[in-house]
Amino acid sequence: MPAQHSPGVPTAHTPTARLLTLSALAATLLTGCGIRSTEVPTDFGPAPSRVHCSLSEPNISTQAARGLPVQVFLLCGSQLVAVERTVRVPDGTADSARRVLVARGLLDELEKSPSADEKEAGYTTDVRGAMSVTAPRPADPDETLRLTTPPEDLTSYALAQIVCTFSDSTAAEGDGSVILGGPANDPPRRYECTDEVRTRPGSNEPPSSEVTTD
């Protein structure tokens, strides 16, 4: 006589029993492959140690003791981002000489390799070489800054860094522009630091225009 089964009790041939068997088999396969079954989301590792383009606040009092606090624009995330620096200018320096000394100090800071913390945060600079700044020539406007490398020979990134750094400092007139020339006798031009230049320096060179003298 065939064995009788109580109603509601799953057998090997019922759909419920087959589902239980498949579940057990899947768990066994996962365990055998070294994969632990869990409903907790997988941990993909610790978060980055430093937020991209984020630096701790500088100690202003310490900076002031080292020189004149200034800002220079470095590259980070394909944009221009201001970082704190200092430049030294002797007390009592005349305005015309002070403008050139500040510009030289700013250019030196742009040419330096970013600090370890800045590199970790993603900062770089495209200003290269032993470039310097000279005073305006007799026919130039008083606020002219002449670079030892022609501005048109610089990369769009480097020119954007220099223009935005100079125009935001006492090396310029404070109107968001700076008058730059090269080592040759070509007339200088006025370069502007715009929002487009700061956000996309690689594809937007600083707009420039001829300088008219009275």
Side-chain angles (χ1 to χ4, degrees), residues 10 12 14 22 51 55 86 89 95 106 114 119 149 151 173 183 190 203:
T14 62
L22 289 174
V51 178
L55 293 171
T86 59
V89 179
D95 287 345
L106 292 171
K119 287 181 179 178
T149 298
E173 293 298 309
R190 182 180 296 277
S203 55

Side-chain angles (χ1 to χ4, degrees), residues 80-101:
L80 295 184
V81 182
V83 297
E84 303 294 330
R85 291 289 192 270
T86 59
V87 297
R88 288 193 173 278
V89 179
D91 293 337
T93 303
D95 287 345
S96 57
R98 181 184 180 88
R99 187 192 306 276
V100 176
L101 288 177

Side-chain angles (χ1 to χ4, degrees), residues 94-127:
D95 287 345
S96 57
R98 181 184 180 88
R99 187 192 306 276
V100 176
L101 288 177
V102 170
R104 285 176 181 168
L106 292 171
L107 189 59
D108 288 343
E109 293 298 328
L110 287 173
E111 290 176 341
K112 288 181 181 178
S113 178
S115 68
D117 284 347
E118 289 167 346
K119 287 181 179 178
E120 183 183 352
Y123 287 79
T124 62
T125 181
D126 211 49
V127 181

